[in-house]
């Protein structure tokens, strides 16, 4: 073909791409990948960028792999950084590294920062490998692109408007049964809920539980689809975090594993064991205050661990329920009064029931009404105080910006021991003086 004819064709293509970027994107999507890449290779990057913004996600990925390194780098330099980061997130890490290697260091750094979301945000939890389809696309074309993408285990696809904003969803059954020429807009359903990529994980969990969604779409600040969160994957992450919380509650490090080296485990555990030792001496000092009373009534030494143990169990129950509520965002620091009031009442009623059982058992053992009265009253007081402590300690630590899982158990153990000993020995001393 003469050079003049080729130049004329290039000029016509450029005019079409410049004046009608949306329509040009539709034509490029219909062309074979190599042919579409050839058309783009003949145009300057400022002409390509407006067209690129209207391409479907799967076409973007195919063309990105087909164009030259020079054009690819130019595109990443001129495209909106957020859009470039979203595109790169959908690509395998090895290929992504190849694409970013030729970029200017500042551009590569900016894109890398945009691809990394804050910890425990929706963006970090999502799967970015998701395909969006335009609402004006026909069912036949959508199925063809699905086959080409080789996506598996899809229950629905997502639909976007002309500006690329998430507008609806199409269930796979509806797509398979639709007329080949029927538009996706005609068979799409509304989105039950979506979250932005910076939404905290706690809100994501709330939405998934509220709407019972297996998959939750994630959008950026402009409403464009950037990924999906699978409920199964999120539950796995929550289970892992829960297991870590169990470790930290007893003073073990989150970093320690079952097969960690002995020196590593010792270094991580020893500081908390030293703190526990200090709190144990604190509880022992309380017992020392009532040394004369214990020497006079030796049965008190036998029954002291019973009171401390029961109050510790009651406090641990209140602590576990409160921490679970905080973790799942069922409660917040503003609910402290309701939570404390509930746990105090639970501790009081349980204390009365346990006090009755214990008092009867101690009476048959010691034939002493006074000793039964001492342990009964102290059991009620200590279990009520333990319920209060188990509820207020994690809420107070959360309000102060501390991790309640790391410190609550140790603080609670000290409080329940001290309160248990004080109530038991204090009441015994008081009754001994009265009688």
């Amino acid at each position: 073909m003469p050079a003049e004819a080729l130049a004329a064709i290039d000029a016509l293509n450029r005019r079409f791409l410049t004046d009608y970027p949306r329509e040009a994107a539709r034509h490029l999507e219909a062309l074979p990948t190599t042919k579409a890449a050839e058309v783009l290779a003949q145009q300057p990057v400022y002409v390509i960028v407006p067209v690129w913004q209207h391409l479907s996600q799967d076409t973007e990925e195919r063309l990105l792999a087909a164009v030259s390194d020079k054009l690819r780098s130019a595109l990443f330099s001129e495209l909106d950084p957020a859009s470039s980061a979203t595109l790169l997130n959908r690509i395998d890490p090895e290929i992504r590294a190849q694409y970013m290697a030729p970029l200017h260091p500042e551009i590569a750094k900016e894109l890398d920062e945009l691809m990394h979301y804050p910890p425990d945000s929706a963006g970090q939890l999502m799967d970015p490998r998701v395909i969006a389809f335009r609402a004006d696309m026909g069912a036949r074309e959508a199925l063809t692109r699905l086959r080409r993408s080789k996506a598996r285990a899809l229950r629905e696809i997502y639909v976007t408007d002309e500006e690329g904003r998430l507008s609806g969803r199409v269930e796979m059954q509806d797509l398979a049964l639709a007329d080949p020429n029927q538009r996706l807009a005609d068979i799409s359903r509304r989105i039950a809920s979506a979250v932005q990529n910076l939404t905290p994980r706690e809100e994501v969990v709330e939405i998934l539980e509220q709407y019972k969604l297996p998959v939750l779409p994630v959008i950026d600040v402009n409403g464009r689809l950037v990924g999906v969160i699978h409920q199964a994957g999120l539950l796995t992450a929550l289970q892992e975090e829960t297991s870590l919380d169990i470790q930290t509650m007893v003073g073990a490090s989150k970093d320690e594993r079952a097969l960690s080296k002995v020196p590593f485990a010792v270094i991580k555990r020893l500081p908390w064991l030293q703190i526990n030792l200090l709190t144990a001496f604190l509880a022992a000092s309380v017992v020392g205050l009532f040394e004369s009373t214990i020497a006079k009534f030796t049965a008190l030494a036998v029954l002291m661990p019973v009171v401390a143990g029961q109050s510790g169990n009651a406090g641990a129950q209140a602590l576990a329920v409160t921490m679970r509520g905080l973790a799942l965002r069922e409660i917040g620091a503003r609910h402290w009064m309701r939570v404390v009031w509930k746990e105090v009442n639970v501790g009081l009623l349980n204390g009365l029931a346990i006090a009755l059982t214990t008092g009867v058992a101690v009476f048959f053992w010691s034939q002493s009404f006074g000793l039964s009265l001492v342990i009964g009253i102290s059991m009620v007081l200590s279990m009520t105080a333990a319920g209060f402590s188990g509820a207020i300690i994690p809420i107070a630590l959360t309000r102060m910006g501390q991790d309640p899982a790391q410190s609550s158990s140790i603080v609670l153990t000290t409080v329940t021991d001290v309160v248990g000993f004080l109530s038991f020995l204090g009441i015994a001393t008081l009754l001994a003086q009265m009688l």
Side-chain angles (χ1 to χ4, degrees):
M1 185 178 294
E4 294 80 1
L6 290 175
I9 292 174
D10 288 343
L12 289 173
N13 286 337
R14 182 174 304 178
R15 186 60 182 268
F16 179 62
L17 293 170
T18 304
D19 294 345
Y20 306 99
R22 183 177 289 110
E23 291 76 6
R26 305 296 179 269
H27 284 282
L28 288 174
E29 291 171 357
L31 292 174
T33 303
T34 53
K35 182 63 177 177
E38 289 177 7
V39 173
L40 294 180
Q42 297 167 1
Q43 307 300 327
V45 68
Y46 71 86
V47 173
I48 300 174
V49 168
V51 179
W52 192 276
Q53 294 171 346
H54 294 285
L55 292 173
S56 61
Q57 293 175 337
D58 58 320
T59 304
E60 281 184 311
E61 295 179 33
R62 290 188 290 108
L63 285 178
L64 203 61
V67 299
S68 64
D69 291 343
K70 181 178 179 181
L71 179 55
R72 189 186 304 121
S73 299
L75 282 170
F76 282 132
S77 301
E78 297 297 330
L79 285 170
D80 173 53
S83 299
S84 298
T86 300
L87 172 57
L88 286 168
N89 257 332
R90 297 197 302 266
I91 299 172
D92 291 337
E94 296 81 6
I95 300 176
R96 182 195 310 155
Q98 296 176 12
Y99 289 173
M100 295 185 66
L103 296 179
H104 189 279
E106 291 185 2
I107 296 175
K109 180 181 178 181
E110 181 181 17
L111 292 177
D112 186 65
E113 290 175 352
L114 289 173
M115 284 188 290
H116 289 81
Y117 294 98
D120 292 335
S121 65
Q124 190 185 56
L125 297 169
M126 73 180 183
D127 181 359
R129 296 167 299 179
V130 60
I131 303 175
F133 298 84
R134 292 189 310 276
D136 60 355
M137 185 181 294
R140 179 193 289 113
E141 185 180 357
L143 286 171
T144 301
R145 293 192 177 179
L146 273 177
R147 295 188 189 99
R148 186 188 300 160
S149 67
K150 299 181 181 179
R152 296 291 182 268
L154 289 178
R155 299 179 58 178
E156 59 187 16
I157 61 174
Y158 294 100
V159 177
T160 60
D161 60 17
E162 293 184 352
E163 302 300 324
R165 294 185 295 263
L166 183 64
S167 61
R169 61 185 180 87
V170 175
E171 296 189 358
M172 293 303 298
Q173 181 178 355
D174 295 338
L175 180 61
L177 298 177
D179 183 272
N181 296 319
Q182 193 172 13
R183 298 187 313 150
L184 296 182
D186 299 330
I187 57 175
S188 67
R189 307 187 184 192
R190 70 177 186 85
I191 297 290
S193 184
V195 294
Q196 286 197 0
N197 47 16
L198 297 181
T199 301
R201 185 193 59 191
E202 291 81 2
E203 294 184 25
V204 173
V205 173
E206 286 182 2
I207 293 173
L208 285 171
E209 290 183 344
Q210 178 181 356
Y211 293 99
K212 309 299 180 185
L213 299 172
V215 179
L216 181 65
V218 181
I219 57 177
D220 63 13
V221 68
N222 296 315
R224 294 189 296 263
L225 182 69
V226 294
V228 293
I229 295 176
H230 299 280
Q231 187 184 55
L234 181 59
L235 290 178
T236 300
L238 288 175
Q239 290 171 354
E240 180 179 353
E241 180 174 341
T242 301
S243 66
L244 292 177
D245 286 344
I246 293 174
Q247 289 186 197
T248 56
M249 284 181 66
V250 294
S253 170
K254 289 183 177 181
D255 301 324
E256 184 180 343
R257 296 295 180 264
L259 297 178
S260 294
K261 301 292 185 182
V262 172
F264 178 82
V266 171
I267 291 172
K268 292 297 183 180
R269 298 186 193 182
L270 187 57
W272 290 106
L273 291 175
Q274 298 283 14
I275 295 174
N276 274 331
L277 180 62
L278 178 63
T279 58
F281 277 121
L282 177 62
S285 65
V286 174
V287 178
L289 297 175
F290 299 92
E291 185 177 356
S292 59
T293 304
I294 297 174
K296 191 174 182 181
F297 304 100
T298 55
L300 296 177
V302 178
L303 297 177
M304 272 195 309
V306 177
V307 178
Q310 284 299 110
S311 63
N313 289 336
Q317 289 176 339
L319 176 68
V321 172
T322 304
M323 286 190 59
R324 181 181 185 276
L326 290 169
L328 297 180
R329 294 295 291 271
E330 295 175 349
I331 60 172
R334 58 189 173 88
H335 298 107
W336 73 270
M337 189 173 294
R338 290 174 56 189
V339 177
V340 169
W341 178 248
K342 173 237 179 179
E343 292 299 340
V344 165
N345 281 281
V346 171
L348 174 62
L349 295 176
N350 283 337
L352 289 171
I354 295 296
L356 179 62
T357 305
T358 310
V360 172
V362 169
F363 181 78
F364 279 107
W365 171 66
S366 65
Q367 299 297 312
S368 171
F369 177 77
L371 192 58
S372 299
L373 185 62
V374 167
I375 197 168
I377 296 175
S378 61
M379 194 71 77
V380 174
L381 292 177
S382 61
M383 289 185 67
T384 303
F388 172 84
S389 303
I392 198 65
I393 288 173
I395 294 177
L397 290 172
T398 301
R399 177 63 68 88
M400 292 186 293
Q402 302 298 316
D403 181 8
Q406 188 71 36
S407 310
S408 293
S409 181
I410 293 174
V411 175
L412 179 66
T413 300
T414 304
V415 171
T416 53
D417 284 350
V418 170
V419 170
F421 294 153
L422 276 176
S423 60
F424 182 61
L425 297 174
I427 293 171
T429 302
L430 182 62
L431 288 179
Q433 294 174 353
M434 293 174 61
L435 297 176

